[in-house]
Each structure stands twice: as C-alpha cells, then as structure tokens.
PDB file of all heavy atoms in Angstrom:
ATOM      1  N   ALA R   1       5.411  -6.955  -4.295  1.00  0.00           N
ATOM      2  CA  ALA R   1       4.842  -5.779  -3.540  1.00  0.00           C
ATOM      3  C   ALA R   1       5.838  -4.580  -3.583  1.00  0.00           C
ATOM      4  O   ALA R   1       5.447  -3.409  -3.810  1.00  0.00           O
ATOM      5  CB  ALA R   1       4.602  -6.145  -2.071  1.00  0.00           C
ATOM      6  N   GLY R   2       7.135  -4.854  -3.434  1.00  0.00           N
ATOM      7  CA  GLY R   2       8.179  -3.787  -3.510  1.00  0.00           C
ATOM      8  C   GLY R   2       8.225  -3.193  -4.843  1.00  0.00           C
ATOM      9  O   GLY R   2       8.343  -1.930  -5.014  1.00  0.00           O
ATOM     10  N   LEU R   3       8.096  -3.982  -5.891  1.00  0.00           N
ATOM     11  CA  LEU R   3       8.111  -3.473  -7.276  1.00  0.00           C
ATOM     12  C   LEU R   3       6.898  -2.574  -7.538  1.00  0.00           C
ATOM     13  O   LEU R   3       7.002  -1.528  -8.145  1.00  0.00           O
ATOM     14  CB  LEU R   3       8.121  -4.670  -8.309  1.00  0.00           C
ATOM     15  CG  LEU R   3       8.198  -4.289  -9.781  1.00  0.00           C
ATOM     16  CD1 LEU R   3       9.516  -3.655 -10.077  1.00  0.00           C
ATOM     17  CD2 LEU R   3       7.965  -5.491 -10.578  1.00  0.00           C
ATOM     18  N   PHE R   4       5.762  -2.943  -7.004  1.00  0.00           N
ATOM     19  CA  PHE R   4       4.533  -2.134  -7.177  1.00  0.00           C
ATOM     20  C   PHE R   4       4.756  -0.816  -6.460  1.00  0.00           C
ATOM     21  O   PHE R   4       4.483   0.297  -7.049  1.00  0.00           O
ATOM     22  CB  PHE R   4       3.311  -2.847  -6.659  1.00  0.00           C
ATOM     23  CG  PHE R   4       2.112  -1.905  -6.571  1.00  0.00           C
ATOM     24  CD1 PHE R   4       1.452  -1.564  -7.754  1.00  0.00           C
ATOM     25  CD2 PHE R   4       1.721  -1.358  -5.417  1.00  0.00           C
ATOM     26  CE1 PHE R   4       0.363  -0.696  -7.676  1.00  0.00           C
ATOM     27  CE2 PHE R   4       0.669  -0.507  -5.319  1.00  0.00           C
ATOM     28  CZ  PHE R   4      -0.055  -0.171  -6.502  1.00  0.00           C
ATOM     29  N   VAL R   5       5.206  -0.862  -5.208  1.00  0.00           N
ATOM     30  CA  VAL R   5       5.335   0.369  -4.396  1.00  0.00           C
ATOM     31  C   VAL R   5       6.363   1.322  -5.025  1.00  0.00           C
ATOM     32  O   VAL R   5       6.139   2.496  -5.149  1.00  0.00           O
ATOM     33  CB  VAL R   5       5.766   0.008  -2.936  1.00  0.00           C
ATOM     34  CG1 VAL R   5       6.158   1.270  -2.213  1.00  0.00           C
ATOM     35  CG2 VAL R   5       4.557  -0.621  -2.244  1.00  0.00           C
ATOM     36  N   VAL R   6       7.505   0.791  -5.440  1.00  0.00           N
ATOM     37  CA  VAL R   6       8.528   1.692  -5.993  1.00  0.00           C
ATOM     38  C   VAL R   6       8.179   2.105  -7.403  1.00  0.00           C
ATOM     39  O   VAL R   6       8.389   3.269  -7.739  1.00  0.00           O
ATOM     40  CB  VAL R   6       9.903   0.936  -5.960  1.00  0.00           C
ATOM     41  CG1 VAL R   6      10.961   1.769  -6.684  1.00  0.00           C
ATOM     42  CG2 VAL R   6      10.381   0.734  -4.481  1.00  0.00           C
ATOM     43  N   GLY R   7       7.706   1.190  -8.220  1.00  0.00           N
ATOM     44  CA  GLY R   7       7.570   1.510  -9.640  1.00  0.00           C
ATOM     45  C   GLY R   7       6.309   2.070 -10.087  1.00  0.00           C
ATOM     46  O   GLY R   7       6.214   2.842 -10.992  1.00  0.00           O
ATOM     47  N   PHE R   8       5.169   1.663  -9.487  1.00  0.00           N
ATOM     48  CA  PHE R   8       3.889   1.995 -10.033  1.00  0.00           C
ATOM     49  C   PHE R   8       2.939   2.683  -9.067  1.00  0.00           C
ATOM     50  O   PHE R   8       1.876   3.152  -9.573  1.00  0.00           O
ATOM     51  CB  PHE R   8       3.165   0.691 -10.540  1.00  0.00           C
ATOM     52  CG  PHE R   8       3.939  -0.055 -11.540  1.00  0.00           C
ATOM     53  CD1 PHE R   8       4.637  -1.166 -11.245  1.00  0.00           C
ATOM     54  CD2 PHE R   8       4.051   0.457 -12.867  1.00  0.00           C
ATOM     55  CE1 PHE R   8       5.368  -1.879 -12.203  1.00  0.00           C
ATOM     56  CE2 PHE R   8       4.820  -0.213 -13.849  1.00  0.00           C
ATOM     57  CZ  PHE R   8       5.478  -1.370 -13.481  1.00  0.00           C
ATOM     58  N   ASP R   9       3.260   2.812  -7.873  1.00  0.00           N
ATOM     59  CA  ASP R   9       2.316   3.437  -6.906  1.00  0.00           C
ATOM     60  C   ASP R   9       2.173   4.946  -7.150  1.00  0.00           C
ATOM     61  O   ASP R   9       3.184   5.620  -7.212  1.00  0.00           O
ATOM     62  CB  ASP R   9       2.764   3.203  -5.452  1.00  0.00           C
ATOM     63  CG  ASP R   9       1.814   3.855  -4.489  1.00  0.00           C
ATOM     64  OD1 ASP R   9       0.655   3.444  -4.424  1.00  0.00           O
ATOM     65  OD2 ASP R   9       2.206   4.841  -3.764  1.00  0.00           O
ATOM     66  N   GLN R  10       0.954   5.354  -7.322  1.00  0.00           N
ATOM     67  CA  GLN R  10       0.698   6.841  -7.468  1.00  0.00           C
ATOM     68  C   GLN R  10      -0.339   7.233  -6.481  1.00  0.00           C
ATOM     69  O   GLN R  10      -1.266   7.964  -6.734  1.00  0.00           O
ATOM     70  CB  GLN R  10       0.119   7.021  -8.888  1.00  0.00           C
ATOM     71  CG  GLN R  10       1.140   6.778 -10.011  1.00  0.00           C
ATOM     72  CD  GLN R  10       2.240   7.824 -10.046  1.00  0.00           C
ATOM     73  OE1 GLN R  10       2.074   8.989  -9.676  1.00  0.00           O
ATOM     74  NE2 GLN R  10       3.390   7.336 -10.483  1.00  0.00           N
ATOM     75  N   GLY R  11      -0.203   6.750  -5.238  1.00  0.00           N
ATOM     76  CA  GLY R  11      -1.103   7.049  -4.138  1.00  0.00           C
ATOM     77  C   GLY R  11      -2.004   5.949  -3.791  1.00  0.00           C
ATOM     78  O   GLY R  11      -2.789   6.065  -2.857  1.00  0.00           O
ATOM     79  N   HIS R  12      -1.869   4.794  -4.447  1.00  0.00           N
ATOM     80  CA  HIS R  12      -2.808   3.658  -4.205  1.00  0.00           C
ATOM     81  C   HIS R  12      -2.662   3.099  -2.820  1.00  0.00           C
ATOM     82  O   HIS R  12      -3.666   2.729  -2.193  1.00  0.00           O
ATOM     83  CB  HIS R  12      -2.599   2.571  -5.301  1.00  0.00           C
ATOM     84  CG  HIS R  12      -2.824   3.028  -6.655  1.00  0.00           C
ATOM     85  ND1 HIS R  12      -1.856   3.514  -7.377  1.00  0.00           N
ATOM     86  CD2 HIS R  12      -3.951   3.172  -7.378  1.00  0.00           C
ATOM     87  CE1 HIS R  12      -2.329   3.859  -8.619  1.00  0.00           C
ATOM     88  NE2 HIS R  12      -3.624   3.670  -8.590  1.00  0.00           N
ATOM     89  N   VAL R  13      -1.431   2.976  -2.306  1.00  0.00           N
ATOM     90  CA  VAL R  13      -1.243   2.350  -1.013  1.00  0.00           C
ATOM     91  C   VAL R  13      -1.835   3.164   0.079  1.00  0.00           C
ATOM     92  O   VAL R  13      -2.556   2.682   0.913  1.00  0.00           O
ATOM     93  CB  VAL R  13       0.233   2.093  -0.765  1.00  0.00           C
ATOM     94  CG1 VAL R  13       0.481   1.578   0.659  1.00  0.00           C
ATOM     95  CG2 VAL R  13       0.865   1.092  -1.856  1.00  0.00           C
ATOM     96  N   PHE R  14      -1.590   4.411   0.102  1.00  0.00           N
ATOM     97  CA  PHE R  14      -2.069   5.269   1.160  1.00  0.00           C
ATOM     98  C   PHE R  14      -3.514   5.672   0.981  1.00  0.00           C
ATOM     99  O   PHE R  14      -4.122   6.203   1.897  1.00  0.00           O
ATOM    100  CB  PHE R  14      -1.201   6.567   1.341  1.00  0.00           C
ATOM    101  CG  PHE R  14       0.060   6.274   2.152  1.00  0.00           C
ATOM    102  CD1 PHE R  14       1.171   7.042   1.860  1.00  0.00           C
ATOM    103  CD2 PHE R  14       0.100   5.405   3.109  1.00  0.00           C
ATOM    104  CE1 PHE R  14       2.355   6.830   2.577  1.00  0.00           C
ATOM    105  CE2 PHE R  14       1.280   5.211   3.849  1.00  0.00           C
ATOM    106  CZ  PHE R  14       2.408   5.910   3.578  1.00  0.00           C
ATOM    107  N   SER R  15      -4.086   5.433  -0.211  1.00  0.00           N
ATOM    108  CA  SER R  15      -5.499   5.718  -0.394  1.00  0.00           C
ATOM    109  C   SER R  15      -6.364   4.859   0.462  1.00  0.00           C
ATOM    110  O   SER R  15      -7.488   5.240   0.715  1.00  0.00           O
ATOM    111  CB  SER R  15      -5.884   5.596  -1.838  1.00  0.00           C
ATOM    112  OG  SER R  15      -5.906   4.276  -2.270  1.00  0.00           O
ATOM    113  N   LEU R  16      -5.867   3.718   0.851  1.00  0.00           N
ATOM    114  CA  LEU R  16      -6.597   2.862   1.793  1.00  0.00           C
ATOM    115  C   LEU R  16      -6.877   3.542   3.120  1.00  0.00           C
ATOM    116  O   LEU R  16      -7.867   3.267   3.774  1.00  0.00           O
ATOM    117  CB  LEU R  16      -5.903   1.537   1.980  1.00  0.00           C
ATOM    118  CG  LEU R  16      -5.671   0.707   0.728  1.00  0.00           C
ATOM    119  CD1 LEU R  16      -4.813  -0.493   1.031  1.00  0.00           C
ATOM    120  CD2 LEU R  16      -6.944   0.288   0.074  1.00  0.00           C
ATOM    121  N   VAL R  17      -5.939   4.366   3.518  1.00  0.00           N
ATOM    122  CA  VAL R  17      -6.030   5.058   4.833  1.00  0.00           C
ATOM    123  C   VAL R  17      -6.535   6.491   4.669  1.00  0.00           C
ATOM    124  O   VAL R  17      -7.402   6.935   5.391  1.00  0.00           O
ATOM    125  CB  VAL R  17      -4.676   5.060   5.530  1.00  0.00           C
ATOM    126  CG1 VAL R  17      -4.720   5.799   6.858  1.00  0.00           C
ATOM    127  CG2 VAL R  17      -4.165   3.628   5.694  1.00  0.00           C
ATOM    128  N   TYR R  18      -5.900   7.261   3.695  1.00  0.00           N
ATOM    129  CA  TYR R  18      -6.163   8.694   3.555  1.00  0.00           C
ATOM    130  C   TYR R  18      -7.265   9.026   2.563  1.00  0.00           C
ATOM    131  O   TYR R  18      -7.615  10.204   2.444  1.00  0.00           O
ATOM    132  CB  TYR R  18      -4.910   9.414   3.233  1.00  0.00           C
ATOM    133  CG  TYR R  18      -3.830   9.382   4.308  1.00  0.00           C
ATOM    134  CD1 TYR R  18      -2.639   8.763   4.077  1.00  0.00           C
ATOM    135  CD2 TYR R  18      -4.075   9.917   5.530  1.00  0.00           C
ATOM    136  CE1 TYR R  18      -1.642   8.725   5.063  1.00  0.00           C
ATOM    137  CE2 TYR R  18      -3.103   9.915   6.500  1.00  0.00           C
ATOM    138  CZ  TYR R  18      -1.939   9.260   6.252  1.00  0.00           C
ATOM    139  OH  TYR R  18      -1.022   9.255   7.245  1.00  0.00           O
ATOM    140  N   GLY R  19      -7.704   8.091   1.778  1.00  0.00           N
ATOM    141  CA  GLY R  19      -8.747   8.341   0.824  1.00  0.00           C
ATOM    142  C   GLY R  19      -8.183   9.111  -0.387  1.00  0.00           C
ATOM    143  O   GLY R  19      -7.065   8.890  -0.812  1.00  0.00           O
ATOM    144  N   GLU R  20      -9.004   9.881  -0.965  1.00  0.00           N
ATOM    145  CA  GLU R  20      -8.673  10.556  -2.235  1.00  0.00           C
ATOM    146  C   GLU R  20      -7.513  11.537  -2.087  1.00  0.00           C
ATOM    147  O   GLU R  20      -6.759  11.787  -3.068  1.00  0.00           O
ATOM    148  CB  GLU R  20      -9.880  11.327  -2.764  1.00  0.00           C
ATOM    149  CG  GLU R  20     -10.962  10.441  -3.273  1.00  0.00           C
ATOM    150  CD  GLU R  20     -10.615   9.626  -4.456  1.00  0.00           C
ATOM    151  OE1 GLU R  20      -9.897  10.090  -5.313  1.00  0.00           O
ATOM    152  OE2 GLU R  20     -10.958   8.387  -4.495  1.00  0.00           O
ATOM    153  N   GLN R  21      -7.245  12.050  -0.939  1.00  0.00           N
ATOM    154  CA  GLN R  21      -6.124  12.968  -0.676  1.00  0.00           C
ATOM    155  C   GLN R  21      -4.838  12.333  -0.963  1.00  0.00           C
ATOM    156  O   GLN R  21      -3.862  12.989  -1.348  1.00  0.00           O
ATOM    157  CB  GLN R  21      -6.176  13.487   0.819  1.00  0.00           C
ATOM    158  CG  GLN R  21      -5.158  14.479   1.143  1.00  0.00           C
ATOM    159  CD  GLN R  21      -5.367  15.816   0.347  1.00  0.00           C
ATOM    160  OE1 GLN R  21      -6.491  16.204   0.072  1.00  0.00           O
ATOM    161  NE2 GLN R  21      -4.313  16.467  -0.041  1.00  0.00           N
ATOM    162  N   ALA R  22      -4.673  11.077  -0.827  1.00  0.00           N
ATOM    163  CA  ALA R  22      -3.411  10.352  -1.069  1.00  0.00           C
ATOM    164  C   ALA R  22      -3.022  10.401  -2.543  1.00  0.00           C
ATOM    165  O   ALA R  22      -1.820  10.441  -2.838  1.00  0.00           O
ATOM    166  CB  ALA R  22      -3.533   8.849  -0.670  1.00  0.00           C
ATOM    167  N   PHE R  23      -3.955  10.528  -3.440  1.00  0.00           N
ATOM    168  CA  PHE R  23      -3.603  10.638  -4.854  1.00  0.00           C
ATOM    169  C   PHE R  23      -3.079  12.005  -5.221  1.00  0.00           C
ATOM    170  O   PHE R  23      -2.384  12.208  -6.202  1.00  0.00           O
ATOM    171  CB  PHE R  23      -4.862  10.395  -5.761  1.00  0.00           C
ATOM    172  CG  PHE R  23      -5.299   8.932  -5.695  1.00  0.00           C
ATOM    173  CD1 PHE R  23      -6.456   8.609  -4.980  1.00  0.00           C
ATOM    174  CD2 PHE R  23      -4.593   7.922  -6.214  1.00  0.00           C
ATOM    175  CE1 PHE R  23      -6.903   7.298  -4.958  1.00  0.00           C
ATOM    176  CE2 PHE R  23      -5.016   6.580  -6.200  1.00  0.00           C
ATOM    177  CZ  PHE R  23      -6.143   6.274  -5.540  1.00  0.00           C
ATOM    178  N   GLU R  24      -3.351  12.995  -4.365  1.00  0.00           N
ATOM    179  CA  GLU R  24      -2.705  14.317  -4.602  1.00  0.00           C
ATOM    180  C   GLU R  24      -1.354  14.475  -3.840  1.00  0.00           C
ATOM    181  O   GLU R  24      -0.496  15.154  -4.347  1.00  0.00           O
ATOM    182  CB  GLU R  24      -3.710  15.415  -4.095  1.00  0.00           C
ATOM    183  CG  GLU R  24      -4.923  15.420  -4.872  1.00  0.00           C
ATOM    184  CD  GLU R  24      -5.966  16.445  -4.339  1.00  0.00           C
ATOM    185  OE1 GLU R  24      -5.573  17.320  -3.588  1.00  0.00           O
ATOM    186  OE2 GLU R  24      -7.188  16.271  -4.647  1.00  0.00           O
ATOM    187  N   ASP R  25      -1.243  13.833  -2.647  1.00  0.00           N
ATOM    188  CA  ASP R  25       0.005  14.005  -1.852  1.00  0.00           C
ATOM    189  C   ASP R  25       1.161  13.130  -2.385  1.00  0.00           C
ATOM    190  O   ASP R  25       2.292  13.528  -2.397  1.00  0.00           O
ATOM    191  CB  ASP R  25      -0.279  13.649  -0.409  1.00  0.00           C
ATOM    192  CG  ASP R  25      -1.219  14.704   0.193  1.00  0.00           C
ATOM    193  OD1 ASP R  25      -1.338  15.839  -0.330  1.00  0.00           O
ATOM    194  OD2 ASP R  25      -1.826  14.366   1.251  1.00  0.00           O
ATOM    195  N   LEU R  26       0.894  11.955  -2.856  1.00  0.00           N
ATOM    196  CA  LEU R  26       1.863  11.013  -3.391  1.00  0.00           C
ATOM    197  C   LEU R  26       3.096  10.816  -2.475  1.00  0.00           C
ATOM    198  O   LEU R  26       4.235  10.975  -2.888  1.00  0.00           O
ATOM    199  CB  LEU R  26       2.324  11.537  -4.763  1.00  0.00           C
ATOM    200  CG  LEU R  26       1.331  11.611  -5.823  1.00  0.00           C
ATOM    201  CD1 LEU R  26       1.910  12.196  -7.109  1.00  0.00           C
ATOM    202  CD2 LEU R  26       0.676  10.275  -6.180  1.00  0.00           C
ATOM    203  N   TYR R  27       2.824  10.449  -1.221  1.00  0.00           N
ATOM    204  CA  TYR R  27       3.937  10.280  -0.258  1.00  0.00           C
ATOM    205  C   TYR R  27       4.929   9.273  -0.695  1.00  0.00           C
ATOM    206  O   TYR R  27       6.173   9.567  -0.647  1.00  0.00           O
ATOM    207  CB  TYR R  27       3.351   9.873   1.129  1.00  0.00           C
ATOM    208  CG  TYR R  27       2.543  10.908   1.790  1.00  0.00           C
ATOM    209  CD1 TYR R  27       1.212  10.679   2.112  1.00  0.00           C
ATOM    210  CD2 TYR R  27       3.112  12.141   2.063  1.00  0.00           C
ATOM    211  CE1 TYR R  27       0.458  11.655   2.692  1.00  0.00           C
ATOM    212  CE2 TYR R  27       2.347  13.137   2.685  1.00  0.00           C
ATOM    213  CZ  TYR R  27       0.991  12.876   3.013  1.00  0.00           C
ATOM    214  OH  TYR R  27       0.290  13.812   3.619  1.00  0.00           O
ATOM    215  N   ILE R  28       4.508   8.080  -1.075  1.00  0.00           N
ATOM    216  CA  ILE R  28       5.496   7.060  -1.465  1.00  0.00           C
ATOM    217  C   ILE R  28       6.219   7.411  -2.730  1.00  0.00           C
ATOM    218  O   ILE R  28       7.449   7.217  -2.868  1.00  0.00           O
ATOM    219  CB  ILE R  28       4.772   5.659  -1.592  1.00  0.00           C
ATOM    220  CG1 ILE R  28       4.263   5.193  -0.236  1.00  0.00           C
ATOM    221  CG2 ILE R  28       5.753   4.631  -2.203  1.00  0.00           C
ATOM    222  CD1 ILE R  28       3.568   3.940  -0.220  1.00  0.00           C
ATOM    223  N   HIS R  29       5.518   8.024  -3.644  1.00  0.00           N
ATOM    224  CA  HIS R  29       6.173   8.507  -4.907  1.00  0.00           C
ATOM    225  C   HIS R  29       7.313   9.448  -4.581  1.00  0.00           C
ATOM    226  O   HIS R  29       8.349   9.329  -5.139  1.00  0.00           O
ATOM    227  CB  HIS R  29       5.132   9.212  -5.806  1.00  0.00           C
ATOM    228  CG  HIS R  29       5.747   9.801  -7.051  1.00  0.00           C
ATOM    229  ND1 HIS R  29       5.933   9.055  -8.145  1.00  0.00           N
ATOM    230  CD2 HIS R  29       6.289  11.018  -7.232  1.00  0.00           C
ATOM    231  CE1 HIS R  29       6.501   9.851  -9.102  1.00  0.00           C
ATOM    232  NE2 HIS R  29       6.664  11.031  -8.526  1.00  0.00           N
ATOM    233  N   GLU R  30       7.070  10.394  -3.697  1.00  0.00           N
ATOM    234  CA  GLU R  30       8.099  11.367  -3.320  1.00  0.00           C
ATOM    235  C   GLU R  30       9.269  10.736  -2.608  1.00  0.00           C
ATOM    236  O   GLU R  30      10.417  11.061  -2.756  1.00  0.00           O
ATOM    237  CB  GLU R  30       7.528  12.534  -2.522  1.00  0.00           C
ATOM    238  CG  GLU R  30       6.528  13.330  -3.351  1.00  0.00           C
ATOM    239  CD  GLU R  30       7.101  13.978  -4.596  1.00  0.00           C
ATOM    240  OE1 GLU R  30       8.311  14.317  -4.617  1.00  0.00           O
ATOM    241  OE2 GLU R  30       6.386  14.161  -5.594  1.00  0.00           O
ATOM    242  N   LEU R  31       8.944   9.774  -1.727  1.00  0.00           N
ATOM    243  CA  LEU R  31       9.987   9.070  -0.943  1.00  0.00           C
ATOM    244  C   LEU R  31      10.891   8.189  -1.852  1.00  0.00           C
ATOM    245  O   LEU R  31      12.108   8.068  -1.569  1.00  0.00           O
ATOM    246  CB  LEU R  31       9.416   8.274   0.176  1.00  0.00           C
ATOM    247  CG  LEU R  31       8.799   8.992   1.342  1.00  0.00           C
ATOM    248  CD1 LEU R  31       8.037   8.066   2.253  1.00  0.00           C
ATOM    249  CD2 LEU R  31       9.805   9.819   2.066  1.00  0.00           C
ATOM    250  N   THR R  32      10.337   7.635  -2.869  1.00  0.00           N
ATOM    251  CA  THR R  32      11.083   6.712  -3.764  1.00  0.00           C
ATOM    252  C   THR R  32      11.419   7.338  -5.115  1.00  0.00           C
ATOM    253  O   THR R  32      11.745   6.631  -6.042  1.00  0.00           O
ATOM    254  CB  THR R  32      10.314   5.401  -3.918  1.00  0.00           C
ATOM    255  OG1 THR R  32       9.061   5.704  -4.587  1.00  0.00           O
ATOM    256  CG2 THR R  32      10.045   4.678  -2.641  1.00  0.00           C
ATOM    257  N   HIS R  33      11.313   8.656  -5.210  1.00  0.00           N
ATOM    258  CA  HIS R  33      11.426   9.355  -6.514  1.00  0.00           C
ATOM    259  C   HIS R  33      12.788   9.055  -7.205  1.00  0.00           C
ATOM    260  O   HIS R  33      12.829   8.669  -8.340  1.00  0.00           O
ATOM    261  CB  HIS R  33      11.332  10.858  -6.264  1.00  0.00           C
ATOM    262  CG  HIS R  33      11.177  11.611  -7.554  1.00  0.00           C
ATOM    263  ND1 HIS R  33       9.981  11.987  -8.122  1.00  0.00           N
ATOM    264  CD2 HIS R  33      12.134  12.032  -8.405  1.00  0.00           C
ATOM    265  CE1 HIS R  33      10.187  12.593  -9.212  1.00  0.00           C
ATOM    266  NE2 HIS R  33      11.468  12.648  -9.459  1.00  0.00           N
ATOM    267  N   ASP R  34      13.850   9.227  -6.443  1.00  0.00           N
ATOM    268  CA  ASP R  34      15.198   8.984  -7.107  1.00  0.00           C
ATOM    269  C   ASP R  34      15.425   7.524  -7.424  1.00  0.00           C
ATOM    270  O   ASP R  34      16.010   7.196  -8.432  1.00  0.00           O
ATOM    271  CB  ASP R  34      16.314   9.481  -6.180  1.00  0.00           C
ATOM    272  CG  ASP R  34      16.289  11.008  -6.071  1.00  0.00           C
ATOM    273  OD1 ASP R  34      15.715  11.673  -6.973  1.00  0.00           O
ATOM    274  OD2 ASP R  34      16.816  11.532  -5.061  1.00  0.00           O
ATOM    275  N   MET R  35      14.856   6.621  -6.600  1.00  0.00           N
ATOM    276  CA  MET R  35      15.000   5.189  -6.820  1.00  0.00           C
ATOM    277  C   MET R  35      14.218   4.797  -8.112  1.00  0.00           C
ATOM    278  O   MET R  35      14.686   3.942  -8.838  1.00  0.00           O
ATOM    279  CB  MET R  35      14.482   4.413  -5.638  1.00  0.00           C
ATOM    280  CG  MET R  35      14.735   2.914  -5.779  1.00  0.00           C
ATOM    281  SD  MET R  35      14.049   1.906  -4.441  1.00  0.00           S
ATOM    282  CE  MET R  35      14.029   2.915  -3.049  1.00  0.00           C
ATOM    283  N   ARG R  36      13.130   5.498  -8.301  1.00  0.00           N
ATOM    284  CA  ARG R  36      12.314   5.185  -9.506  1.00  0.00           C
ATOM    285  C   ARG R  36      13.140   5.524 -10.768  1.00  0.00           C
ATOM    286  O   ARG R  36      13.132   4.797 -11.756  1.00  0.00           O
ATOM    287  CB  ARG R  36      11.034   6.002  -9.525  1.00  0.00           C
ATOM    288  CG  ARG R  36      10.103   5.571  -8.449  1.00  0.00           C
ATOM    289  CD  ARG R  36       8.948   6.611  -8.370  1.00  0.00           C
ATOM    290  NE  ARG R  36       8.057   6.497  -9.492  1.00  0.00           N
ATOM    291  CZ  ARG R  36       6.802   6.110  -9.435  1.00  0.00           C
ATOM    292  NH1 ARG R  36       6.323   5.786  -8.290  1.00  0.00           N
ATOM    293  NH2 ARG R  36       6.058   6.024 -10.503  1.00  0.00           N
ATOM    294  N   HIS R  37      13.762   6.741 -10.762  1.00  0.00           N
ATOM    295  CA  HIS R  37      14.596   7.132 -11.934  1.00  0.00           C
ATOM    296  C   HIS R  37      15.802   6.188 -12.143  1.00  0.00           C
ATOM    297  O   HIS R  37      16.097   5.817 -13.259  1.00  0.00           O
ATOM    298  CB  HIS R  37      15.020   8.552 -11.784  1.00  0.00           C
ATOM    299  CG  HIS R  37      13.908   9.539 -11.947  1.00  0.00           C
ATOM    300  ND1 HIS R  37      13.316   9.720 -13.162  1.00  0.00           N
ATOM    301  CD2 HIS R  37      13.343  10.388 -11.109  1.00  0.00           C
ATOM    302  CE1 HIS R  37      12.356  10.658 -13.051  1.00  0.00           C
ATOM    303  NE2 HIS R  37      12.375  11.061 -11.837  1.00  0.00           N
ATOM    304  N   ALA R  38      16.414   5.788 -11.050  1.00  0.00           N
ATOM    305  CA  ALA R  38      17.568   4.945 -11.177  1.00  0.00           C
ATOM    306  C   ALA R  38      17.154   3.573 -11.677  1.00  0.00           C
ATOM    307  O   ALA R  38      17.951   2.913 -12.422  1.00  0.00           O
ATOM    308  CB  ALA R  38      18.199   4.756  -9.726  1.00  0.00           C
ATOM    309  N   ALA R  39      15.994   3.067 -11.355  1.00  0.00           N
ATOM    310  CA  ALA R  39      15.486   1.832 -11.876  1.00  0.00           C
ATOM    311  C   ALA R  39      14.900   1.909 -13.240  1.00  0.00           C
ATOM    312  O   ALA R  39      14.571   0.877 -13.836  1.00  0.00           O
ATOM    313  CB  ALA R  39      14.436   1.261 -10.883  1.00  0.00           C
TER     314      ALA R  39
END
C-alpha cells in the first residue's frame, strides 16, 4: 500500500472521496513528490 501511494498514485486514493477533482489536485503526489524522486 505504501509503495502504491508513494510511487504510483496519481489521485486514485482521494478519488474515492473527492471524485474526479482528485485527479487534477494530486494531493498525495505533491506531498510525496521529493520522496518519489529520491526513490
């Protein structure tokens, strides 16, 4: 689950709550952005 959230999530997790808007906002992507590059 952590690997998916950090590495591959492009709004999928929050789309369950926020709908299509989550794919534009990318909250988790922005929060884990530097960690993604480091990994």
Side-chain angles (χ1 to χ4, degrees):
L3 183 66
F4 171 75
V5 168
V6 172
F8 300 106
D9 181 64
Q10 296 289 330
H12 299 94
V13 174
F14 280 148
S15 69
L16 300 172
V17 179
Y18 295 117
E20 293 295 321
Q21 185 64 33
F23 293 107
E24 294 175 22
D25 294 339
L26 299 175
Y27 293 121
I28 292 178
H29 175 89
E30 294 301 327
L31 290 172
T32 61
H33 190 97
D34 292 338
M35 187 186 329
R36 292 169 73 112
H37 287 293

